[in-house]
Amino acid sequence: MAAIDSQANHSNESADRIDAHQHFWIFDPVRDSWIDESLRVIQRDFLPSDLEPVLKQNQINGCVAVQADQSEAENEFLLEQSKAYPFIKGIVGWVDLQSAQLEERLAYYQSFGKMKGFRHVLQGEPQRDLMLDPAFMKGIGLLDKYNFTYDILIFPDQLAYALQLVKAFPNQRFVIDHIAKPAIKKGDIDQWQKELAGFSGCSNVYCKISGMVTEADWKDWKQADFSPYLDAVVNTFGIDRIMFGSDWPVCLVAANYPQMLQIVKDYFSSFSITGQQQFFGLNAARFYKL
């Protein structure tokens, strides 16, 4: 395995390695109330100056910064960070998809080259099928016109709704965040795997292999816990529609960056060099047009 990894690192010198999913914030206990006491290890500021040395140590060339707060102030914050730190290759922000002024906002954000797409925290919505509301779908229907992607953040109970959504917009680029957060700690896999498989024929939908350690046993996870979930994702999306994401700094509740990275390095070590390059950067670059 070491020989393969060494070969992959050497080969990847010509292919950017991209962390397709991470966050920055200046911690605010009111705004960031989701970062509760159980997550106290991340109850502090996390900025590009914190991440840059970590990426360098792990031979990652760039990242995609994803919104952690549902406000346009978050977009401005991330855009400012990206000006100062060129390793931030793209931003997934937030807009009100149900707003009457949506098209005006999309036109505005189109003027920022690093703004690549948007996300809504659907996993936390009391209305589990909010994504199928006519107003929400109307908003999704405008994204492709302005060349924006959409990150789908859901729990497994929302996979069937997500499948309806992506089928309604075959030309829209979608990516499922965090493999839809199956309950790895409990070993729940059957229903999640069955519903995930529905996306196999949806060529417009990618999947981020990210956020797995936070769904596992934080204190006692092991490599073998993730293999059946990784198998299911690869079987559904193939090597062309998956991408690496760290979910840093949220991953720190369960693993440091090298530990989290090693899980996927080990799993993909038997894949071809080309396959590894696709997963660790090329797919993200293509999807987000980095």
Side-chain angles (χ1 to χ4, degrees):
M1 186 185 74
I4 293 176
D5 279 346
S6 172
Q7 186 183 4
N9 285 340
H10 176 74
S11 180
N12 273 335
E13 286 172 4
S14 60
D16 275 356
R17 285 158 59 93
I18 302 294
D19 180 341
H21 196 106
Q22 51 72 220
H23 308 284
F24 300 118
W25 61 69
I26 296 171
F27 181 65
D28 179 327
V30 176
R31 182 198 64 195
D32 305 320
S33 59
W34 64 274
I35 308 175
D36 60 22
E37 271 305 296
S38 70
L39 303 171
R40 60 184 173 272
V41 70
I42 58 171
Q43 286 182 333
R44 63 177 181 84
D45 299 353
F46 287 93
L47 293 167
S49 56
D50 300 306
L51 181 61
E52 188 170 30
V54 176
L55 295 184
K56 283 180 178 172
Q57 287 158 15
N58 291 280
Q59 292 82 52
I60 308 288
N61 307 97
C63 69
V64 176
V66 180
Q67 61 83 219
D69 179 57
Q70 304 207 111
S71 69
E72 290 203 26
E74 175 83 340
N75 301 340
E76 301 304 323
F77 167 70
L78 293 175
L79 285 166
E80 281 301 312
Q81 301 304 315
S82 74
K83 282 183 198 170
Y85 292 91
F87 75 86
I88 303 171
K89 306 286 189 187
I91 293 166
V92 175
W94 181 87
V95 286
D96 182 355
L97 289 167
Q98 302 179 79
S99 167
Q101 283 76 47
L102 175 63
E103 194 149 10
E104 178 186 310
R105 301 315 295 151
L106 295 178
Y108 167 75
Y109 286 118
Q110 194 180 35
S111 67
F112 297 93
K114 286 194 176 179
M115 186 64 81
K116 302 299 183 180
F118 297 98
R119 181 175 89 153
H120 185 84
V121 184
L122 288 165
Q123 68 174 29
E125 288 289 348
Q127 183 187 337
R128 307 309 285 158
D129 65 347
L130 175 67
M131 66 194 87
L132 299 180
D133 265 18
F136 195 95
M137 292 183 76
K138 183 180 178 184
I140 292 288
L142 288 171
L143 294 179
D144 184 54
K145 176 179 176 181
Y146 293 90
N147 203 24
F148 287 123
T149 62
Y150 186 75
D151 271 55
I152 303 174
L153 178 62
I154 53 172
F155 281 125
D157 69 299
Q158 296 168 295
L159 275 166
Y161 306 133
L163 185 59
Q164 290 182 59
L165 177 71
V166 303
K167 285 186 171 180
F169 300 100
N171 296 318
Q172 172 62 43
R173 285 171 290 145
F174 293 98
V175 59
I176 297 171
D177 290 349
H178 310 325
I179 69 172
K181 296 194 164 186
I184 297 173
K185 183 177 179 178
K186 295 179 182 175
D188 289 352
I189 191 168
D190 293 346
Q191 187 64 23
W192 166 85
Q193 183 174 11
K194 180 182 174 184
E195 295 196 359
L196 192 75
F199 293 87
S200 62
C202 302
S203 60
N204 59 322
V205 186
Y206 287 56
C207 187
K208 287 183 185 177
I209 294 181
S210 58
M212 295 190 304
V213 289
T214 54
E215 303 308 316
D217 186 328
W218 293 357
K219 304 291 185 193
D220 195 32
W221 59 264
K222 48 195 180 300
Q223 176 78 30
D225 297 339
F226 306 107
S227 297
Y229 297 91
L230 288 162
D231 288 345
V233 172
V234 173
N235 287 341
T236 296
F237 295 94
I239 196 66
D240 298 326
R241 294 190 285 131
I242 55 175
M243 58 183 90
F244 163 70
S246 67
D247 199 26
W248 181 96
V250 184
C251 67
L252 299 178
V253 301
N256 62 36
Y257 202 105
Q259 288 173 322
M260 173 279 311
L261 180 59
Q262 197 63 45
I263 294 167
V264 286
K265 281 180 74 175
D266 284 352
Y267 181 84
F268 287 99
S269 64
S270 62
F271 284 61
S272 70
I273 296 301
T274 302
Q276 292 177 54
Q277 288 181 335
Q278 286 177 286
F279 171 67
F280 281 110
L282 293 177
N283 293 342
R286 185 173 72 249
F287 178 82
Y288 285 118
K289 300 185 178 177
L290 302 179

